[in-house]
């Protein structure tokens, strides 16, 4: 069982967080007690898991049913060459143990579906979606909405990416319900319309930029700081080094 109190080793490990007035000891304790489910231990999930582990998130759940292949290593930096052939969950768990042995890791060697998502999501405080297919994205978003769990969603293309935070079970400052994933994307595109990264390609470091932004939004949610990307879609164009934000509302 994870206790709230920070040990002397943790006080030293997280010293640069604790001196931040916005985080401090209470914020670090919230990180320690937090349970975060990360869907996918791939391009986006890799930096999310690494930075959340380093930040001291107490429990990380990892959902992935794939194994590490050589072609993953150009972007999925949580895995090493010696991990080729291993389950991604096992490889990620070993990497997290090297980064921060204080983090508890729960492995879910499965593919998230509409059937299993609600029960799984309900076990965690926040969900981070690093999946690469629309079936999983809709299943995660619907389950998070039903179970009232914040969802940090992201997606990447060849040289671009997007990030948003979904809390449709709450209302905004204007008193209106926050938008859901289906307000942003009412229906999945027809099969084959959006090519996979295996077909279209993806710049490896792009997933690091976007995944790190997901980790940042997750930490903000846990610590209760800043303004999370609720009702806002952050767009990143790597080739022009440009960030844009668009607002969207509940339909």
């Amino acid at each position: 069982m994870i206790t709230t109190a920070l040990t002397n080793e943790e006080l030293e490990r997280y010293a640069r967080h604790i001196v931040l007035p916005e985080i401090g000891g209470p914020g670090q304790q919230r990180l320690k007690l937090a349970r975060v489910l990360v869907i996918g231990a791939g391009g986006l999930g890799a930096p999310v898991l690494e930075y959340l582990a380093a930040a001291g998130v107490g429990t990380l759940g990892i959902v992935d049913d794939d194994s590490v292949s050589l072609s993953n290593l150009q972007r999925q930096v949580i895995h090493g060459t010696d991990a080729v052939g291993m389950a991604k969950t096992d490889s990620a768990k070993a990497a997290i143990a090297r980064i921060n042995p204080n983090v508890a890791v729960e492995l879910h060697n499965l593919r998230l579906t509409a059937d299993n998502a609600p029960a799984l999501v309900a076990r965690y405080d926040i969900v981070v979606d690093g999946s690469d297919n629309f079936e999983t994205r809709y299943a995660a978003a619907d389950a998070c909405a039903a179970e009232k769990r914040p969802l940090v969603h992201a997606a990447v293309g060849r040289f671009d990416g997007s990030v948003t935070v979904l809390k449709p079970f709450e209302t905004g400052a204007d008193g209106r319900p926050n938008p859901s994933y289906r307000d942003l994307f009412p229906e999945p595109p027809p099969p084959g319309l959006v090519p996979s990264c295996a077909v279209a390609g993806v710049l490896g470091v792009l997933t690091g930029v976007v995944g790190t932004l997901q980790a940042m939004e997750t930490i903000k949610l846990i610590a209760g700081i800043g303004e999370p990307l609720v009702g806002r879609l952050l767009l990143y164009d790597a080739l022009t080094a440009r960030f844009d934000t668009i607002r969207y509302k509940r339909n």
Side-chain angles (χ1 to χ4, degrees), residues 1 16 23 46 72-73 91 103 110 119 128 143 151 192 229 231 239:
M1 182 177 178
R16 301 302 184 272
I23 302 290
N72 297 150
L73 304 185
S91 172
V103 177
L110 51 83
V128 183
L151 174 63
L229 286 167
L239 293 182

Side-chain angles (χ1 to χ4, degrees), residues 36-40 48 52 126-130 150-153 214-215 218:
V36 177
L37 180 66
V38 180
I39 303 171
V48 169
L52 293 186
I126 296 174
V127 178
V128 183
D129 182 11
L151 174 63
V152 182
H153 167 77
Q214 282 186 283
T218 305

Side-chain angles (χ1 to χ4, degrees), residues 23 36 44 77 103 122 127 148 185 191 196 204 210 251:
I23 302 290
V36 177
L44 293 171
V77 294
V103 177
V127 178
K148 298 184 179 180
F185 302 108
S196 68
V210 177
N251 290 329

